[in-house]
């Protein structure tokens, strides 16, 4: 699974995203509309991490979704 698949199924993925990053609100997740860069920025802001660390979190999330599919 790559990010394009996640973006294309954004509404279906919101539960998994909320589970992974519970400090993000439903409204914030909805407003991201599948934009990876905006998700990374929000993770950085909310969890106080560097950009590369946020990107690693997203990559890990993608890998987890791939193994679950």
């Amino acid at each position: 699974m790559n990010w394009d698949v996640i973006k294309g199924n954004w509404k279906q993925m919101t539960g998994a995203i909320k589970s992974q990053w519970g400090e993000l609100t439903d409204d914030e997740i909805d407003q991201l509309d599948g934009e990876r860069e905006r998700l990374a920025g929000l993770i950085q802001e909310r969890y106080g991490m560097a950009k590369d660390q946020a990107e690693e979190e997203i990559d890990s999330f993608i890998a987890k979704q791939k193994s679950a599919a």
Side-chain angles (χ1 to χ4, degrees):
M1 180 175 297
N2 62 29
W3 190 258
D4 290 333
V5 173
I6 290 174
K7 184 176 181 177
N9 295 302
W10 189 251
K11 292 293 183 195
Q12 293 83 0
M13 297 299 301
T14 56
I17 292 165
K18 180 73 174 168
S19 176
Q20 178 78 21
W21 296 288
E23 292 187 25
L24 304 182
T25 68
D26 292 334
D27 284 343
E28 289 171 330
I29 293 169
D30 286 343
Q31 290 172 6
L32 293 173
D33 198 31
E35 297 298 324
R36 181 183 170 128
E37 289 298 316
R38 290 176 56 204
L39 175 60
L42 197 54
I43 292 169
Q44 282 180 262
E45 177 185 308
R46 193 59 44 86
Y47 291 90
M49 59 179 66
K51 181 177 182 175
D52 60 338
Q53 188 178 3
E55 290 290 340
E56 287 175 18
E57 291 259 336
I58 293 170
D59 289 341
S60 175
F61 173 77
I62 293 169
K64 195 161 74 170
Q65 297 311 306
K66 186 185 295 187
S67 66

